């Protein structure tokens, strides 16, 4: 992982101290600007251009009734993204952010994009079988590596000028998958990390807990890579690959909710220092998200009870990142405005 530019961060911090406001009065927005300065190597960072990458995959664990929605919803929702009708599609259109949807494991034919600003690719890893994490490994080693590469390839295709990569996912059953990976990485029990996902009832929640408990029992003590390969999914692996390549290219990563955060936790465990390149958009309503954020030492920008996924929370937070950069670059200093600073009369 490349190191942030501490000298640029210090210059940004000094600029903040000279802007026409009391020190620290813009709170976290000041911290965001200074952090981006370190990541971009300039005292005047930018949040744009930004680009959104969304990785979609089915999950065999749905056979255990862990979601109130059938697996076919994953493919149907991907087509909804492409037609512009999903929440993330609307937010990307509103914010002027291109949306790239990548199929890494959807087991049904998908339509090409139908609206401007949305593009689609089906990666060959989508054709490889996935296992039921409760009783078998979710991915072979080869599939895991190809899913990582699928994510990295999408970042490689981004223009050099992209400053911020927004990550999202879509996959019925993937809160169960993420909970299993989180339990293994954090050493926590299933009950501590399993949430209601797409809205399971009490019986469905009990099934999710039992499935995750079985996976943890089978894989306890696994390395981070083994945990993701055996209990994760191709979407989580692709998110890791995309974030890792973004960091290598010195692009900041705007992290969505529970599922993306679990992928980022796994990446940090496998590549220490990755965490420094991440901005955490929000804390979701999923039970395990708090534990993941705490483990990463993350302070999310928002807490709105969101639990949709799809990158929607990250896109909702993007205007705050925009505001942080705009204020940092556009506000006058005390000297420029002719305003007396404290201690100077």
């Amino acid at each position: 992982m490349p190191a942030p530019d501490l000298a640029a961060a210090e210059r940004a911090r000094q600029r903040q101290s000279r802007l026409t406001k009391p020190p620290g009065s813009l709170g976290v927005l000041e911290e965001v600007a200074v952090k981006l300065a370190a990541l971009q190597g300039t005292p005047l960072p930018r949040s744009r251009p930004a680009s959104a990458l969304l990785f979609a995959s089915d999950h065999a664990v749905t056979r255990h009734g862990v979601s109130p929605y059938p697996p076919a919803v994953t493919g149907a929702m991907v087509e909804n993204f492409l037609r512009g009708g999903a929440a993330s599609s609307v937010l990307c259109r509103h914010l002027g952010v291109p949306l790239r949807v990548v199929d890494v494991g959807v087991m049904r034919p998908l339509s090409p994009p139908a609206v401007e600003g949305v593009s689609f690719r089906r990666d060959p890893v989508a054709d490889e079988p996935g296992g039921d994490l409760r009783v078998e490994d979710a991915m072979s080693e080869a599939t895991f590596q190809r899913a990582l590469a699928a994510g990295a390839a999408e970042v490689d295709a981004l223009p050099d000028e992209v400053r911020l990569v927004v990550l999202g996912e879509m996959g019925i059953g993937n809160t169960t998958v993420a909970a299993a990976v989180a339990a293994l990485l954090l050493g926590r029990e299933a009950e501590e990390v399993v949430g209601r996902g797409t809205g399971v009832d009490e019986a469905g929640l009990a099934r999710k807990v039992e499935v995750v408990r079985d996976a943890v029992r089978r894989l306890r003590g696994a390395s981070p890579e083994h945990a993701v390969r055996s209990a994760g999914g191709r979407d989580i692996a692709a998110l890791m690959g995309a974030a890792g390549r973004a960091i290598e290219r010195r692009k900041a990563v705007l992290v969505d909710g529970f599922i993306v955060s679990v992928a980022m936790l796994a990446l940090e465990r496998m590549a220490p220092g990755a965490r420094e390149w991440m901005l955490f958009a929000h804390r979701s309503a999923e039970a395990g998200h708090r534990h993941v954020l705490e483990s990463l030492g993350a302070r999310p920008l928002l807490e709105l009870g969101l639990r949709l996924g799809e990158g929607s929370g990250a896109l909702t937070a993007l205007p705050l990142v925009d505001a942080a950069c705009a204020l940092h670059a556009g506000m006058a200093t005390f000297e420029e405005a002719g305003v007396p600073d404290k201690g100077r009369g």
Side-chain angles (χ1 to χ4, degrees):
M1 297 292 103
D5 186 334
L6 300 183
E10 181 56 30
R11 293 197 299 273
R13 198 173 289 112
Q14 291 173 4
R15 175 174 172 77
Q16 281 286 334
S17 71
R18 299 195 303 271
L19 297 180
T20 48
K21 60 179 178 59
S25 58
L26 286 175
V28 175
L29 296 181
E30 297 182 16
E31 298 173 15
V32 168
V34 171
K35 182 180 180 74
L36 285 176
L39 302 186
Q40 295 178 11
T42 173
L44 294 174
R46 292 186 292 163
S47 57
R48 302 299 186 101
S51 188
L53 300 176
L54 190 153
F55 298 94
S57 180
D58 290 330
H59 296 276
V61 74
T62 54
R63 68 185 59 167
H64 299 294
V66 296
S67 172
Y69 293 93
V73 168
T74 299
M77 279 301 301
V78 168
E79 292 183 336
N80 193 24
F81 290 124
L82 304 183
R83 291 192 296 266
S88 294
S89 309
V90 172
L91 287 168
C92 281
R93 187 163 60 245
H94 173 68
L95 295 168
V97 174
L99 173 62
R100 175 73 157 177
V101 181
V102 186
D103 175 5
V104 291
V106 182
M107 296 292 111
R108 60 168 279 184
L110 299 172
S111 303
V115 297
E116 184 178 355
V118 181
S119 60
F120 173 76
R121 182 175 74 89
R122 179 176 172 87
D123 191 90
V125 76
D127 296 320
E128 300 182 19
D132 176 359
L133 65 90
R134 189 175 196 177
V135 296
E136 60 186 338
D137 288 351
M139 292 175 280
S140 68
E141 176 63 27
T143 298
F144 174 64
Q145 293 297 332
R146 282 192 279 269
L148 288 171
E154 290 303 320
V155 176
D156 284 338
L158 294 177
D160 287 340
E161 60 267 22
V162 168
R163 296 290 191 271
L164 191 67
V165 179
V166 180
L167 294 179
E169 42 60 43
M170 176 64 214
I172 297 300
N174 65 5
T175 56
T176 303
V177 168
V181 174
L184 290 165
L185 294 177
L186 299 174
R188 291 189 173 271
E189 299 301 322
E191 294 85 351
E192 298 178 273
V193 294
V194 172
R196 294 189 181 274
T198 50
V200 292
D201 58 17
E202 289 299 324
L205 184 62
R207 288 192 295 272
K208 286 184 72 171
V209 168
E210 192 60 34
V211 166
V212 172
R213 186 182 292 130
D214 287 347
V216 170
R217 188 180 299 119
R218 184 174 70 84
L219 297 166
R220 193 178 295 279
S223 67
E225 179 178 345
H226 188 199
V228 175
R229 182 177 69 76
S230 301
R234 284 162 286 185
D235 46 359
I236 289 179
L239 287 164
M240 294 170 62
R245 186 55 54 82
I247 294 166
E248 289 175 352
R249 293 186 63 187
R250 304 192 70 89
K251 299 180 188 299
V253 177
L254 186 56
V255 179
D256 193 39
F258 178 51
I259 295 151
V260 181
S261 294
V262 168
M264 298 305 99
L265 175 62
L267 179 62
E268 170 63 21
R269 294 289 178 88
M270 292 172 61
R275 155 71 183 89
E276 298 302 319
W277 292 81
M278 302 171 191
L279 295 172
F280 291 83
H282 74 112
R283 174 179 162 183
S284 81
E286 277 297 290
H289 199 194
R290 174 173 63 88
H291 300 303
V292 173
L293 292 172
E294 288 175 355
S295 179
L296 286 164
R299 182 181 182 183
L301 296 174
L302 298 170
E303 186 169 356
L304 301 175
L306 305 176
R307 55 180 177 85
L308 177 59
E310 306 174 4
S312 58
L315 290 163
T316 299
L318 179 57
L320 292 178
V321 183
D322 291 340
C325 292
L327 290 164
H328 181 76
M331 285 183 68
T333 65
F334 284 101
E335 293 83 3
E336 291 166 343
V339 175
D341 195 356
K342 62 179 182 178
R344 285 196 257 167

